[in-house]
Amino acid sequence: MTITTDPDVGAREALRLIGPDPDNWIPDRPGVDQNVTVVGGSGSGSTFAFALRRAGIGRVTVIDAADEAA
């Protein structure tokens, strides 16, 4: 058994097992940079964006407020 100190190894293995994202089925439109914008990058927002990508909806953007730089 190999012991690793990489905390992301489990997530990478899960993504490898589910396979690559399907192709984007939404047609490109001139002047449109994204298909979906998710406001709020918490656990729910990130999960929703991931589910959209797995459903074949590409160009998903997640935005979130950040604290002011100290």
Side-chain angles (χ1 to χ4, degrees), residues 13 15 19 69:
E13 179 64 9
L15 290 172

Side-chain angles (χ1 to χ4, degrees), residues 18-50:
I18 64 172
D21 288 342
D23 290 335
N24 181 19
W25 56 267
I26 308 261
D28 290 338
R29 292 175 299 190
V32 177
D33 294 332
Q34 63 267 346
N35 293 325
V36 178
T37 299
V38 178
V39 179
S42 67
S44 297
S46 298
T47 301
F48 188 63
F50 180 77

Side-chain angles (χ1 to χ4, degrees), residues 4-15:
T4 180
T5 58
D6 183 3
D8 297 328
V9 70
R12 275 197 300 279
E13 179 64 9
L15 290 172

